[in-house]
Structure formats: C-alpha cells, structure tokens
Amino acid sequence: MPRVARIPRELRLRPFSGSNAVAAGLLTKRSLTGPAWRRLFADVYVQAAAFDDGDHRMWCEAAAVKMPAGGAVSGLSAAYLWGVDLLPRRSPVHVTLPRSARPSPHPRLAVAHRSLGREDVTRLFGGIPLTTEVRTAFDLARSLPRADALAAVDALLHSRVLRREALARYVDFHAGLPGVRRVRELLPLVEALSESPMESRLRLLLHDAGLPRPTSQYEIRLPASDLTPDARTGAAATDARRRGRLLARVDLAYPQWRIAIEYEGDHHRERATFRRDVGRLNALRAAGWLVLRFTADDVLRQKDQLIRTVRQAIAERS
C-alpha cells in the first residue's frame, strides 16, 4: 500500500509558503510535488484535502502569504471579505501592491499598483491584509464602471460595513488622489436601503433619464380608517391606528403618484413566490397603486422602453 503523507499540524487547511515550510523542516522540496499538496501561486501551497477552486477566501489567504509590505487584498476581493459578494465566478484575487512589486503573472491574481497609506490597510479574517472598508469603497467607486460602482457602494452601505459620512470624509481628505472627482459625483446617488445590484442599476437609470428620485424600500400601508374593526383592537391596536397595516414593501416608489417599481429576479419564477406575488399585486391594486415590474432584460437591454414606461406612468398620474 502507498504511504499516506504526513500532514504537519502547522500546514493543515490554510495556504502556506513552501520555502518557509522546507526551511522549518516541516516538509522536503520533493514532498511538495506529491499528491498531498496543491500549488496555488509561486511558492504558495495548500493541503490537497482543503483545496476548493471556488473558495475565494482561500485564494485571498494564498495571495496574502507572499504579500509584500505595503500591499493588501483590495477592490472586489476586499469587499468580499467585508461580507459583500459581487464577484463573478472564478474571479481573480484583486490586490493593490507597491509599484516596485512585480509578482509573477497568474490568472487568479489581478494586480493594481498604487500607494496605500498605513491607515488604508487593516488585518482581519485570520491576518489577511486588506483595504479598510472606506478605502475599499473609494477604490471601487473610482475604478469600476459607473453602474457597477454604485451597486458596490450601495451594497457596502446596506451591509452596514460602511457609512456614507465616512466615505465623504475620506474623499475630502484625499482630494488629490486620481478618480476622486468621480467618487464625488457618485456620492449623492448612493442608497443604503438598496437591496440588490440590479435595484441600484434601475435607480441609476431613472436618475440618468432625469426622472425624480424614487424612495427606496417604501412601506405601503393600509390607512387605519380602512382597517376592519377587529384589526383596530387587540395587542397591535395602537400601532395599527398610528401607522396602518403593512400591505407591502416595494423596491422603489413614487408615493405622491402611488407608483411602485419592482425589480423581478429569477426567484420570482418559483411557484410559491409567484403565488405570493399575485396576492400582493392584487392588494396593491385594490389600494390604488400602480405596480411596474421590470426584469434584468429590461434594465440591461431595454432601457429606453423602461424609461418610457415609467415616464408615461408619472404623466398619467400627475
């Protein structure tokens, strides 16, 4: 029977430097070429049993193993570590390195050469150096395409990792950095209540078309006078009389015209969700609301028609 490779406790589960492991006497150069280990980057390995090609955190940990001083995981990868996943499948690890650092090219590594201040980098998540939440938002806002940038900053705000005021202060104190003007232009458009990237894109479409800014995540309530007598008694009577019964919370709304705008993702096609949507839609119509529902195809490929639909609805209800 073939011998089972001995796995040193220090090298289990997390990526490590092969040369450091050899120097410490934990492995030999020859053993690193065996089936017990997977090579991730130059001189960076992980236990084969712990390898997961789709685990972005593992790839971030691997990039951190040989991270030079002044470097950090950044951009979309830093956002991921902060709890905001906007990464495409098999995304490379995004890192920011000093201009003097020239790592070997690798398809799972995307390098930006910039200077990071000491205050721009923190160490969380097992010691991985990554850009702070505010620097992460700043870099995404100035480097991504505009709609993607808005979606990224919205998501960081919504997750409560970031506060808008903190990003505004960072912009004020770093006015000389490239791209700061672009971030300033984006700041008035961000929305902490936005719950999905497509919702952010939809809101941006309305803004760019010159339409009024809608209210995000608006609660539509049945007036207390419309409640049944039974609904106005009992434990929830005070709140029901004060606020009315909640009918729905919609993605975007123009309350003054009773227009609700909804983004419909693929999950709305599921049978149970579809049934709930029908009942919800009927209740909103009965309450006098017009509900406009849009899909990804509308937002991404039928933009002009989407804007015409919203503009016509406003005109009819004004």
Side-chain angles (χ1 to χ4, degrees):
M1 294 180 62
R3 292 180 58 188
V4 177
R6 183 182 69 85
I7 306 298
R9 179 177 55 84
E10 301 91 332
L11 307 182
R12 292 174 184 169
L13 302 180
R14 296 189 63 183
F16 61 91
S17 163
S19 59
N20 288 350
V22 171
L26 298 173
L27 295 173
T28 65
K29 288 184 179 180
R30 182 176 180 182
S31 65
L32 277 173
T33 63
W37 310 104
R38 288 291 298 263
R39 185 177 184 271
L40 302 178
F41 298 122
D43 193 36
V44 179
Y45 298 82
V46 72
Q47 183 184 353
F51 175 78
D52 179 354
D53 188 58
D55 183 355
H56 195 72
R57 180 191 172 100
M58 178 201 72
W59 287 103
C60 290
E61 291 177 340
V65 169
K66 307 294 286 188
M67 188 76 70
V73 173
S74 59
L76 289 174
S77 294
Y80 176 87
L81 294 177
W82 284 113
V84 173
D85 185 3
L86 300 171
L87 291 164
R89 186 174 177 272
R90 289 181 57 82
S91 171
V93 178
H94 295 265
V95 297
T96 295
L97 302 180
R99 298 189 186 279
S100 59
R102 297 294 170 183
S104 300
H106 193 284
R108 299 303 290 266
L109 197 64
V111 178
H113 288 98
R114 297 190 184 112
S115 296
L116 293 172
R118 184 173 294 182
E119 72 282 0
D120 290 329
V121 180
T122 187
R123 282 185 180 269
L124 298 176
F125 315 104
I128 301 173
L130 75 158
T131 50
T132 61
E133 59 272 50
V134 67
R135 179 61 191 238
T136 299
F138 179 81
D139 285 342
L140 292 174
R142 64 178 175 154
S143 61
L144 291 178
R146 185 161 166 266
D148 294 333
L150 180 63
V153 177
D154 280 356
L156 286 165
L157 291 170
H158 183 74
S159 69
R160 299 186 180 180
V161 164
L162 174 73
R163 295 180 63 231
R164 184 188 180 281
E165 295 78 10
L167 180 56
R169 284 196 301 272
Y170 189 93
V171 168
D172 289 340
F173 282 112
H174 296 81
L177 290 179
V180 72
R181 179 178 177 181
R182 191 166 183 267
V183 184
R184 285 189 192 278
E185 292 173 352
L186 198 69
L187 267 171
L189 307 180
V190 300
E191 175 57 75
L193 294 177
S194 184
E195 293 190 343
S196 74
M198 292 302 290
E199 186 180 323
S200 298
R201 287 176 175 272
L202 176 52
R203 201 178 70 251
L204 184 61
L205 281 180
L206 301 177
H207 168 81
D208 288 349
L211 293 170
R213 179 166 181 158
T215 301
S216 293
Q217 299 303 316
Y218 183 75
E219 291 187 347
I220 299 174
R221 293 181 174 273
L222 191 65
S225 59
D226 292 346
L227 299 177
T228 64
D230 287 345
R232 295 196 298 269
T233 61
T238 301
D239 185 63
R241 282 194 296 269
R242 180 173 62 86
R243 303 180 64 200
R245 179 169 61 84
L246 179 66
L247 283 182
R249 182 163 59 92
V250 297
D251 294 337
L252 302 169
Y254 291 118
Q256 66 271 44
W257 299 305
R258 290 198 174 191
I259 298 173
I261 302 173
E262 296 270 71
Y263 170 70
E264 306 289 1
D266 288 341
H267 68 282
H268 286 271
R269 300 176 185 178
E270 299 171 2
R271 184 183 298 272
T273 303
F274 176 76
R275 287 175 177 172
R276 286 195 300 271
D277 285 349
V278 169
R280 181 172 174 270
L281 183 61
N282 288 339
L284 289 171
R285 285 175 175 167
W289 281 76
L290 171 65
V291 182
L292 305 178
R293 306 169 74 183
F294 299 112
T295 66
D297 187 67
D298 297 316
V299 176
L300 298 176
R301 288 174 285 277
Q302 305 294 331
K303 300 176 185 180
D304 291 343
Q305 179 58 49
L306 185 156
I307 294 302
R308 282 195 294 271
T309 299
V310 175
R311 198 184 300 278
Q312 181 179 352
I314 292 174
E316 290 175 353
R317 290 189 161 232
S318 296

